[in-house]
Amino acid sequence: MKKEWPLDVSVSFDPYYGEPSRDGDEGYELLGDGRVRIRIRAPQAQRVEIDQFGHTVPFEKTEDGMWACTADLGRGFKYFFLKIDGADVLHPYLPIGYGCCRPMNFLDIPVEGEDWDRLDGAAHGAVIRHLFPSSVTGKTEVCLVYTPPAYDPARKYPVLYLQHGYGENETGWVYQGHVGRIADRLLAEGQMKEMLIVMGNGMAVSGKDPAAPNPFPEILLKDLIPFIEAHYPVYTDKWNRAMAGLSMGSFQTSVVTLTHPELFGYAGLFSGFLRSPRDTEDGKHLALLEKPEAFNEAFRVFYRAMGTEDPFFDRFEGDDRLVEGKPLQMIRKTFPGGHDWTVWRRCIHDFLPMLFR
C-alpha cells in the first residue's frame, strides 16, 4: 500500500512501516480524488469504524484478515476517533497529532489551490523550543519560537504571539497548523514581513492554585514577553508586537489586547470570540469597544474570522451585533469550513501579510 506520511509529525522522517507478515501492511493511501483508503490489523475485533465527531464510517473485514475502508472524509485536516468494538484506539500506523485534550489520529487530505505550506521551493526557518520560569504558575513553562530563514541575531524583529485552542498545546500551530511552512512560503514570495512567531501553552495550570482561572494571559504579560525580549533581538514597542489565536486562543487574544492596547498594535481572532463562548467572563475587557476613536487609534489591524460551518457561528454573529453601528475599524472574514485546522490555516495565511506594515 502506498503511504504518504506527513513529514513534520513523523517520529521517523524515512518511516519504516513494519513487517507485512506481522503488521499486515497497515496504513493509509490518498487516492487522488479526495477519498482515502485505510487498512488496519485488528484480528479479534468484531466492529471497526471511524468516528468523525458523530459521523461514522464502518470498516469491512477483508479476506486476509485485515479491516479496510475507502471513504470520503472531506478535504483538509481531519481529526477522527478510530473505534474498535466501541473503544477509542490511537493507531500507530496513522498520523498522530494532539487535540481534544489527547493524542489523536488524523488525516490531511490536500485542498486544491491551498498548497501554501508545500515544502519545495522555499528556504525554511527554524522552530526552537524553550523552557522558561513562570512567576504566575510557579512552574517551568514551554514555548516554541519560529525564526525566519534569514534570521540574523544582529538585527531586530517584530513579534507575533500566536495561540492554540482548547485541548491543544504549543505544538499545534507548528505540527497541525503548519504556520512555519506557511510563513516560509509567504516570505519567499515577498508577501509578509520577517518576524518571530512565539507559541505558548494556553492550557497552563497554576501550581500555586490549580483551581484558579486559566493563567495564560497573565503568563504572557508577566513571563513570556519578558523572556522573549531578554533572549531575542526584538522590538519592544506596540507597533512591533501582535497577538492572535484560534478558538480559546482568540478569546485570550481579545482579553489581552483589548485590556492592554498600549502593548499590542495588531490582533487576530480565528474562529474568533470577542466574548467568551461559554459566558464565563465578566466582559470588562470590552470597554474599549465603547470608545471607537481610542480603539481605532490603538490597532492598525483588528481581525475577526470564522468558518461558515463552525458550530460557534452564532457566537460570531452575536459579536457582529455587539459591534454593529459602532465605527470600529475591524476586518471581518469568513472561510468555508468548520472549527478545524483547515480554516485556521486559511486564517493565518490571510493574516500574516497584514502585520507590521
Side-chain angles (χ1 to χ4, degrees), residues 291-349:
K291 304 173 183 178
E293 185 175 349
F295 176 92
N296 294 337
E297 288 178 357
F299 299 102
R300 288 181 179 163
V301 173
F302 198 98
Y303 178 101
R304 300 172 51 234
M306 182 72 77
T308 53
E309 295 141 50
D310 195 305
F312 291 102
F313 200 83
D314 62 332
R315 291 287 181 166
F316 189 64
E317 293 179 316
D319 286 345
D320 287 342
R321 292 188 291 273
L322 177 69
V323 301
E324 187 176 9
K326 298 181 176 76
L328 301 168
Q329 294 174 8
M330 288 185 179
I331 298 170
R332 178 195 186 276
K333 294 284 188 79
T334 59
F335 296 97
H339 201 77
D340 56 52
W341 282 107
T342 308
V343 168
W344 302 327
R345 289 174 186 172
R346 290 166 178 157
C347 290
I348 196 66
H349 181 263

Side-chain angles (χ1 to χ4, degrees), residues 213-268:
N214 186 296
F216 180 75
E218 196 177 2
I219 294 170
L220 173 69
L221 297 170
K222 292 185 177 180
D223 301 319
L224 183 52
I225 290 176
F227 177 84
I228 294 299
E229 294 182 352
H231 289 82
Y232 283 92
V234 298
Y235 294 106
T236 58
D237 64 286
K238 67 169 285 173
W239 301 119
N240 284 286
R241 190 184 296 121
M243 184 176 179
L246 67 91
S247 194
M248 178 188 74
S250 78
F251 180 62
Q252 292 171 338
T253 298
S254 177
V255 169
V256 170
T257 60
L258 290 175
T259 305
H260 295 282
E262 76 281 6
L263 298 180
F264 298 88
Y266 304 81

Side-chain angles (χ1 to χ4, degrees), residues 48-60:
V48 178
E49 61 188 352
I50 281 176
D51 180 355
Q52 288 185 292
F53 303 94
H55 171 67
T56 59
V57 178
F59 283 62
E60 294 183 357

Side-chain angles (χ1 to χ4, degrees), residues 5-60:
W5 206 270
L7 178 63
D8 51 7
V9 295
S10 299
V11 293
S12 169
F13 292 144
D14 291 300
Y16 178 68
Y17 294 99
E19 303 171 25
S21 61
R22 184 187 69 186
D23 301 312
D25 195 21
E26 300 183 74
Y28 75 100
E29 179 181 4
L30 300 178
L31 300 180
D33 59 358
R35 296 181 304 153
V36 61
R37 181 164 176 79
I38 305 172
R39 278 169 52 91
I40 68 167
R41 179 179 173 81
Q44 305 303 318
Q46 301 300 310
R47 187 175 82 257
V48 178
E49 61 188 352
I50 281 176
D51 180 355
Q52 288 185 292
F53 303 94
H55 171 67
T56 59
V57 178
F59 283 62
E60 294 183 357

